[in-house]
Amino acid sequence: MRNPVGWAALTAFSLAFFAFIYAPLFVIIGYSFNSNPVNMMIWEHFTFDWYAGLLGLADRTTDVSNRAAYVESTGQMLAALRTSLTVAVITTTISTVLGTATAIALARYRFRLRGVYNGFLMLPMMMPDIVLGIGLLIFFVTIGMNLSMLTIIIGHCTFLASYVFIIVQARIAGIDPALEEASADLGASEWVTLRKVLLPQLAPGILGGALLAFVISMDDLVITYFVSGTGDTTLPVFIFGMIRRGVKPEINAIATLIILASVVIAALGLWLRSRKTD
Amino acid sequence: MAIRRQSVVLGVLLAPVTLFLGFFFLLPLLIIALYSFLSPGLYGGVEWTFYHWNYGRIFGWADGINEIFEPIYLQILWRSLSFAALTVVLTLILCYPVAFWVSRLSERWRLVFMFLITLPFFSSLIVRLYAWLLILKPTGLFNTALLSLGVISEPLEILYTPTAVVLGMVYVMVPFMFLPLYSAVDNLDRAQVEASLDLGANRVQTFLKVILPQTLPGIMGGAVIVFIPSVGNFVVPDVLGGAKGLMIGNLVEQQFLSARNWPFGSALSMIIMAVVLTVLLISVTRARKAGGHA
């Protein structure tokens, strides 16, 4: 850009844009250390009480002096976290297999319904989650299936397979089929070629797709909200319920831990991508 | 095995996804369509008789006996469409200049800011919305700051208003608009821009005649990706909107989890689905046409 004033204005606007994205997160982090339990927006003094309460470390016998005794739901929260992790690991596995198999089929075979499949696999990603959520809810109730962790897993897989598919498909597009042709010419069966030649080359794409599926599964709120029963809830649904019941200081502490975890995962993703290009 | 016609392996590769999505994606959508034409039972169930009044109740042909027409549903539908459209416009205005700025940075800073824009994808939606609850509530950060600075004498009521809902949606959707825009801006042919300026076109003309047409696919892509999840959104209005910020997604949720009128909730979902499919269809045909001309 030739105009320095214009560039300065653009820079100011852009930095304000990033401040808009990040300031709210820093608000949460800051106030998770504020000891004021009545109006958490007015700074009292620095404390780790909310974290101690969350982790169940707070001394609950000294009720008045120790404000972290407010936390009555540590057990529920940890159970929700456990459910989230279990669901995410299982759905990531299933959707990675489904998505990868589909991507290979569409990239390496010509068949009549290929275009239809390509479009069809976009639909679960584009369908608003509320529609998918209530569709699954009616479906499960109609066939008499109890809402449980299994229904949450099924719900997540319906749209995560498509995400994995997209990522792996992009990776296949960059792979030269010559190696596979050579393998076939040298007498390897179709199956062996797929396993020994194509899959190893696809590994970074598959890993990327799996990571994306894991992250989205951990964060899904709407579909889980509709297909989870009274028993198992995931962490986002648990926090949603907590927020609906009213703002409490402990939520700041959970939220801060989640922000921290997401920074770690994003950095991991970046590291994986930079390794891929080496 | 590069390109084969049909084989057992193809069947093995495609069967799982076909069965899975057939059962747990297509069938549920078909069931919604079916339910939307059934009549609600007395205690939350359904009765298996053909019943078009679920739609009549929304669009105005209800006879007052089976169902009563209430214009509130059309109002809420209109509000959902306009909030989603507003979200598209606002995210576009925010992201377009920033995408330009990032594309002109040095390699190193570009990586830093691209990381910063993708980070929200990895962080929790509900946590990011909760932050705005803290900021906007009457005793929240925004009002506390303005009050202590003496700008206002009474807390502003922003939370539980349409403003809060649109703000929340813009906040959540910004990264989705940014990425397609950025790739369009980054692929911009700079020689053409230079040529336009050298040949005497001013900045506005260059923008309208060279830059805008070249980045239009990115704008359209971002618009679709932002509009679709916005129109059926129920979490943002649930957390930040009050009665005046209610959207069609909230209406669906109410019908399923509190009012227990599943056929009516299904009819409302069918409307969301119809809107989404229309938008997708338009964008696909437009993209085809644009591709054909190029």
Side-chain angles (χ1 to χ4, degrees):
Chain A
M1 192 157 290
R2 298 160 185 189
N3 178 350
V5 180
W7 178 251
L10 190 57
T11 306
F13 181 85
S14 304
L15 292 178
F17 172 86
F18 283 98
F20 166 70
I21 294 183
Y22 280 93
L25 300 183
F26 284 106
V27 169
I28 299 181
I29 297 171
Y31 284 102
S32 72
F33 298 109
N34 182 9
S35 66
N36 192 336
V38 184
N39 183 348
M40 62 170 87
M41 284 298 131
I42 294 171
W43 187 264
E44 208 178 67
H45 58 79
F46 186 90
T47 182
F48 278 123
D49 280 5
W50 314 122
Y51 292 92
L54 272 189
L55 302 173
L57 302 174
D59 180 4
R60 285 165 200 231
T61 49
T62 55
D63 52 342
V64 183
S65 60
N66 193 342
R67 280 150 177 170
Y70 282 118
V71 186
E72 72 268 356
S73 47
T74 304
Q76 284 172 21
M77 191 200 70
L78 289 177
L81 177 63
R82 218 168 14 246
T83 308
S84 274
L85 286 169
T86 314
V87 167
V89 167
I90 299 175
T91 49
T92 301
T93 313
I94 299 175
S95 54
T96 303
V97 172
L98 289 176
T100 305
T102 316
I104 293 174
L106 295 198
R108 291 295 187 251
Y109 293 87
R110 293 276 170 276
F111 54 99
R112 205 174 302 150
L113 290 175
R114 202 165 151 267
V116 175
Y117 267 96
N118 243 321
F120 177 58
L121 274 147
M122 296 297 117
L123 270 185
M125 283 193 306
M126 297 312 266
M127 194 53 63
D129 38 16
I130 189 161
V131 175
L132 200 50
I134 62 127
L136 284 165
L137 173 65
I138 307 179
F139 176 73
F140 291 138
V141 170
T142 309
I143 64 170
M145 199 166 156
N146 285 328
L147 300 178
S148 64
M149 204 192 280
L150 179 63
T151 52
I152 303 177
I153 291 169
I154 292 174
H156 285 200
C157 288
T158 52
F159 63 101
L160 288 179
S162 298
Y163 282 92
V164 178
F165 165 72
I166 296 278
I167 304 278
V168 177
Q169 198 189 33
R171 178 84 194 175
I172 293 189
I175 290 177
D176 187 355
L179 266 178
E180 295 153 55
E181 279 158 15
S183 159
D185 288 347
L186 294 171
S189 75
E190 211 173 331
W191 188 242
V192 169
T193 303
L194 194 131
R195 260 186 33 226
K196 303 258 163 147
V197 182
L198 184 57
L199 273 187
Q201 295 184 79
L202 272 182
I206 296 173
L207 201 61
L211 184 71
L212 184 70
F214 184 85
V215 169
I216 300 178
S217 170
M218 283 297 287
D219 190 35
D220 179 74
L221 173 59
V222 177
I223 289 174
T224 315
Y225 177 71
F226 285 103
V227 300
S228 60
T230 43
D232 297 310
T233 50
T234 59
L235 197 55
V237 175
F238 178 76
I239 296 174
F240 184 50
M242 235 173 142
I243 290 172
R244 278 180 150 185
R245 286 194 297 274
V247 169
K248 279 188 190 171
E250 292 84 17
I251 304 180
N252 295 342
I254 306 181
T256 302
L257 292 178
I258 291 177
I259 293 170
L260 202 71
S262 56
V263 172
V264 171
I265 293 174
L268 189 77
L270 190 77
W271 179 72
L272 272 176
R273 264 178 54 191
S274 66
R275 256 172 48 117
K276 219 185 335 181
T277 50
D278 281 347
Chain B
M1 65 159 248
I3 286 166
R4 288 275 174 95
R5 292 199 172 275
Q6 310 275 344
S7 76
V8 180
V9 178
L10 177 62
V12 171
L13 290 173
L14 274 185
V17 86
T18 310
L19 285 176
F20 192 89
L21 290 185
F23 256 100
F24 299 118
F25 178 71
L26 271 190
L27 209 53
L29 295 187
L30 290 176
I31 290 181
I32 294 180
L34 177 69
Y35 260 63
S36 75
F37 288 105
L38 296 179
S39 69
L42 270 183
Y43 303 104
V46 283
E47 283 171 29
W48 291 82
T49 48
F50 176 74
Y51 192 80
H52 56 82
W53 305 108
N54 297 317
Y55 291 98
R57 195 175 161 185
I58 304 166
F59 292 112
W61 71 76
D63 56 0
I65 302 162
N66 284 301
E67 295 286 350
I68 302 160
F69 167 65
E70 280 166 284
I72 183 77
Y73 299 121
L74 278 180
Q75 284 166 20
I76 292 175
L77 175 62
W78 174 246
R79 183 190 295 149
S80 310
L81 293 172
S82 47
F83 280 9
L86 196 58
T87 306
V88 168
V89 172
L90 291 175
T91 49
L92 180 62
I93 292 173
L94 284 175
C95 292
Y96 204 91
V98 181
F100 253 95
W101 182 74
V102 172
S103 76
R104 298 295 171 95
L105 292 173
S106 68
E107 168 92 35
R108 188 177 171 176
W109 283 109
R110 206 165 59 228
L111 281 178
V112 170
F113 281 101
M114 286 310 282
F115 178 70
L116 287 179
I117 198 81
T118 44
L119 191 60
F121 280 113
F122 292 91
S123 78
S124 160
L125 168 91
I126 189 72
V127 164
R128 288 190 295 145
L129 272 182
Y130 167 72
W132 284 99
L133 192 64
L134 289 186
I135 294 170
L136 297 179
K137 64 186 191 128
T139 56
L141 186 69
F142 186 68
N143 275 313
T144 312
L146 288 186
L147 281 172
S148 60
L149 289 173
V151 181
I152 52 171
S153 55
E154 275 191 23
L156 297 173
E157 283 187 30
I158 310 171
L159 191 61
Y160 307 133
T161 64
T163 314
V165 176
V166 174
L167 181 67
M169 293 227 284
V170 168
Y171 185 69
V172 171
M173 291 300 162
V174 141
F176 291 91
M177 178 60 93
F178 187 89
L179 291 182
L181 266 189
Y182 176 79
S183 69
V185 166
D186 197 42
N187 288 327
L188 193 64
D189 184 354
R190 288 193 197 167
Q192 272 193 35
V193 178
E194 300 282 319
S196 162
L197 289 171
D198 287 346
L199 292 171
N202 65 31
R203 282 173 181 282
V204 177
Q205 284 168 326
T206 305
F207 179 75
L208 289 178
K209 303 260 172 171
V210 180
I211 299 178
L212 199 59
Q214 279 197 42
T215 51
L216 201 60
I219 295 175
M220 297 306 292
V224 170
I225 292 178
V226 170
F227 185 85
I228 287 177
S230 300
V231 80
N233 204 307
F234 108 93
V235 181
V236 178
D238 189 280
V239 175
L240 299 177
K244 273 179 274 172
L246 201 74
M247 289 172 61
I248 190 163
N250 306 91
L251 222 48
V252 171
E253 193 240 16
Q254 281 175 11
Q255 296 310 316
F256 278 90
L257 299 184
S258 48
R260 299 234 152 242
N261 186 339
W262 289 20
F264 185 54
S266 300
L268 292 165
S269 315
M270 285 297 285
I271 295 172
I272 301 180
M273 230 192 295
V275 170
V276 167
L277 291 178
T278 310
V279 170
L280 279 179
L281 215 62
I282 293 173
S283 75
V284 168
T285 27
R286 273 195 61 108
R288 284 241 174 92
K289 248 190 217 160
H293 284 302

